[in-house]
Amino acid sequence: MGLLSNKVERNEIKPGDHIYTYRAVFTYSHHGIFVGGSKVVHFRPERNLDSSIESSSELYDPLSPQSACPTFPDCGFRRPNSGVVLSCLDCFIRNGSLYCFEYSVTPSVFLAKVRGGTCTTAMSDPPGTVIHRAMYLLQNGFGNYDIFQNNCEDFALYCKTGLLIMEKLGVGRSGQASSVIGAPLAALLSSPLKLLMPSPVGVATVTAGMYCMSRYATDIGVRSDVIKVAVEDLAVNLGLAAPHDEAAREDEASNRQLMTL
């Protein structure tokens, strides 16, 4: 993957990879975990899963009768009242391109990638652990979707790292969300400097620098308010799982069936 683009070909991705694709002419990106067998587990607003009407947050509805997947009969599988979905790779990408999210990047590389939601300085856990988290959350859910604190990128980042934000206020793990918040914040912080910098180039440079630093400060790899949480504990704490012994047996059997389809 290059410095300016994380674009990859399908044969380059591996099970456990955090992948994403752009929607609405690169307005935003949609993220998920590739679990192998041309299948992706991802997180979407639950309200859109019961409607065939296209929305601004997710234009494709794999559960819509008009959008039946011709290649994967279980495409769109989800538990009731859950936004975690299993889709085929074709339906996840739609007509877009495929990109792979980068982990363990250096601060210089992170800052060089001006657009958020493409990389993190945090380390990824082994692929087997990542897939286990994704498939467990497919069965137990990931809470309520929130565009700033609990979105598709947050889901994929948790599956890859097991890290959660302790403080519920403010921005979550998502690089896209921090970019949206960071841009106006940078402009606000740099505005007093306009009196000292008559040159538009100087003001633009300061604003860009503050924008990048605000993104970096919210990256999960450098934040001090993150903790490692086991996926089983996450589900129980959110009230999304049944008692562990019985639920674990049911989930394991269901996951094996889905992975073999």
Side-chain angles (χ1 to χ4, degrees):
M1 290 181 287
L3 183 62
L4 298 179
S5 174
N6 292 353
K7 188 175 180 180
V8 294
E9 299 298 329
R10 296 187 183 209
N11 60 0
E12 295 180 282
I13 61 174
K14 302 178 294 296
D17 278 352
H18 173 173
I19 61 175
Y20 62 98
T21 186
Y22 287 102
R23 300 279 199 258
V25 196
F26 292 89
T27 302
Y28 67 98
S29 56
H30 184 57
H31 298 244
I33 298 296
F34 179 64
V35 295
S38 295
K39 302 181 184 74
V40 183
V41 178
H42 54 115
F43 185 49
R44 296 181 48 196
E46 182 188 332
R47 63 182 179 275
N48 294 329
L49 294 172
D50 296 318
S51 172
S52 60
I53 301 175
E54 294 184 346
S55 71
S56 59
S57 57
E58 262 310 310
L59 300 180
Y60 175 73
D61 183 356
L63 296 185
S64 170
Q66 292 83 2
S67 304
C69 177
T71 58
F72 180 32
D74 276 345
C75 184
F77 170 85
R78 68 177 180 97
R79 289 293 191 183
N81 303 316
S82 173
V84 182
V85 185
L86 180 70
S87 299
C88 71
L89 189 58
D90 287 336
C91 291
F92 177 82
I93 299 174
R94 296 177 58 204
N95 297 322
S97 297
L98 179 63
Y99 299 82
C100 192
F101 198 96
E102 291 186 272
Y103 285 79
S104 300
V105 302
T106 63
S108 59
V109 170
F110 182 90
L111 293 172
K113 295 195 175 186
V114 178
R115 182 159 189 167
T118 62
C119 63
T120 178
T121 60
M123 293 180 58
S124 169
D125 287 325
T129 302
V130 176
I131 295 172
H132 168 70
R133 289 186 185 125
M135 298 304 292
Y136 188 93
L137 294 174
L138 177 64
Q139 298 294 337
N140 295 281
F142 193 62
N144 296 322
Y145 185 97
D146 185 280
I147 191 170
F148 289 114
Q149 294 186 340
N150 201 44
N151 57 37
C152 61
E153 186 182 344
D154 292 314
F155 170 82
L157 284 167
Y158 172 74
C159 289
K160 289 287 285 186
T161 67
L163 297 175
L164 286 181
I165 306 296
M166 291 183 292
E167 178 57 58
K168 297 302 182 183
L169 300 177
V171 68
R173 297 157 299 240
S174 170
Q176 289 190 93
S178 63
S179 294
V180 171
I181 294 175
L185 177 61
L188 177 64
L189 292 177
S190 65
S191 58
L193 299 176
K194 293 178 181 178
L195 300 176
L196 304 176
M197 294 184 178
S199 169
V201 175
V203 174
T205 301
V206 171
T207 302
M210 290 185 172
Y211 164 73
C212 290
M213 291 308 298
S214 67
R215 282 184 49 239
Y216 182 71
T218 58
D219 179 57
I220 61 171
V222 300
R223 291 176 68 155
S224 60
D225 60 343
V226 296
I227 55 174
K228 195 95 168 181
V229 178
V231 69
E232 293 82 4
D233 295 335
L234 172 70
V236 171
N237 290 339
L238 293 177
L240 300 172
H244 179 67
D245 292 340
E246 184 65 27
R249 287 193 294 269
E250 294 178 358
D251 293 346
E252 184 177 357
S254 180
N255 288 342
R256 284 200 299 267
Q257 182 179 4
L258 288 170
M259 293 296 289
T260 55
L261 289 175

